[in-house]
Amino acid sequence: DSGVTQTPKHLITATGQRVTLRCSPRSGDLSVYWYQQSLDQGLQFLIQYYNGEERAKGNILERFSAQQFPDLHSELNLSSLELGDSALYFCASSVDGNTQYFGPGTRLTVL
Amino acid sequence: GQQLNQSPQSMFIQEGEDVSMNCTSSSIFNTWLWYKQDPGEGPVLLIALYKAGELTSNGRLTAQFGITRKDSFLNISASIPSDVGIYFCAGQLRTGGTASKLTFGTGTRLQVTL
């Protein structure tokens, strides 16, 4: 158990819909990272937050957004969902910015 | 998106054998990490490397941070059935202050037979 929690574990929705994925980092970690894992693209970095502020951005679509709240939990919002958004979404956290610990992931299926 | 070149893509070995895999990049990294992922689970951190040339062990696992900072190697000695899974390398680039991101390799699928 990495100490990073993610909910829900599974999410099934339809194209065009909007969903919110939630992540709670390890106790004491200020940084939260979001990654997408798909069969054809592998694990891809989406975005990083540090203590409530956006710090680094990867290949995140404009339809996707994230935020980190004062209690340090983070949410990833995915809107106008397409079939190709089906993937595993992982959250990771870090205290020192060097080593990242991953949560169990949310499997999103868009039908 | 960018992925690091990881080889071999898959390995099918017998219990007790040693395993080697490597990861290469066209650009340098500040940190190299090795993760193991079981189906449907999140990646689990195995080893972290912070300096070029560094050699670090974690039980039967040994990893090295390449001198050029563009590659890393992972060795597993005396493999056992629970070593089955997908192994990913990841390079970390600190982009300034508290900003950082991981770039992952394509993965090595390891299967171990008795």
Side-chain angles (χ1 to χ4, degrees):
Chain A
D1 185 351
S2 67
V4 178
T5 61
Q6 288 187 249
T7 56
K9 190 153 178 68
H10 301 277
L11 200 48
I12 301 175
T13 188
T15 54
Q17 295 298 304
R18 173 190 168 93
V19 297
T20 298
L21 313 183
R22 183 189 167 103
C23 167
S24 292
R26 297 185 319 155
S27 177
D29 286 1
L30 296 179
S31 279
V32 168
Y33 309 78
W34 286 97
Y35 292 85
Q36 180 192 58
Q37 186 176 35
S38 61
L39 283 174
D40 57 343
Q41 291 288 316
L43 269 158
Q44 297 289 326
F45 168 72
L46 295 177
I47 197 165
Q48 176 206 0
Y49 277 81
Y50 177 85
N51 203 20
E53 294 188 9
E54 183 184 306
R55 275 289 183 265
K57 223 167 181 176
N59 299 323
I60 187 167
L61 299 172
E62 283 192 13
R63 301 183 285 109
F64 295 2
S65 65
Q67 54 184 329
Q68 186 179 26
F69 295 87
D71 67 352
L72 301 178
H73 90 271
S74 177
E75 292 181 355
L76 179 67
N77 300 297
L78 315 176
S79 61
S80 303
L81 285 167
E82 302 174 359
L83 295 177
D85 297 328
S86 295
L88 274 164
Y89 290 85
F90 290 105
C91 166
S93 75
S94 174
V95 65
D96 58 5
N98 285 323
T99 49
Q100 296 182 24
Y101 296 88
F102 282 73
T106 293
R107 181 177 292 278
L108 174 66
T109 302
V110 182
L111 300 175
Chain B
Q2 182 191 5
Q3 284 185 283
L4 307 178
N5 296 316
Q6 195 171 336
S7 64
Q9 193 171 8
S10 65
M11 300 185 73
F12 196 68
I13 64 170
Q14 289 197 319
E15 184 178 8
E17 288 185 346
D18 296 344
V19 172
S20 291
M21 59 191 78
N22 69 76
C23 196
T24 59
S25 168
S26 57
S27 50
I28 63 173
F29 288 107
N30 308 124
T31 303
W32 280 95
L33 305 165
W34 284 91
Y35 290 86
K36 177 174 181 269
Q37 185 177 26
D38 293 327
E41 305 291 327
V44 174
L45 182 64
L46 299 175
I47 290 182
L49 303 155
Y50 302 107
K51 274 171 45 176
E54 179 181 354
L55 186 70
T56 296
S57 292
N58 177 11
R60 294 179 296 105
L61 277 60
T62 301
Q64 183 160 26
F65 191 144
I67 289 291
T68 64
R69 295 171 63 191
K70 292 183 179 181
D71 58 3
S72 181
F73 304 87
L74 175 70
N75 296 313
I76 304 173
S77 62
S79 57
I80 59 178
S82 62
D83 290 335
V84 165
I86 302 178
Y87 292 79
F88 289 99
C89 63
Q92 170 143 289
L93 186 65
R94 296 292 289 267
T95 53
T98 52
S100 65
K101 68 172 196 173
L102 290 179
T103 301
F104 278 85
T106 48
T108 294
R109 182 181 297 274
L110 179 64
Q111 294 174 284
V112 180
T113 58
L114 297 173

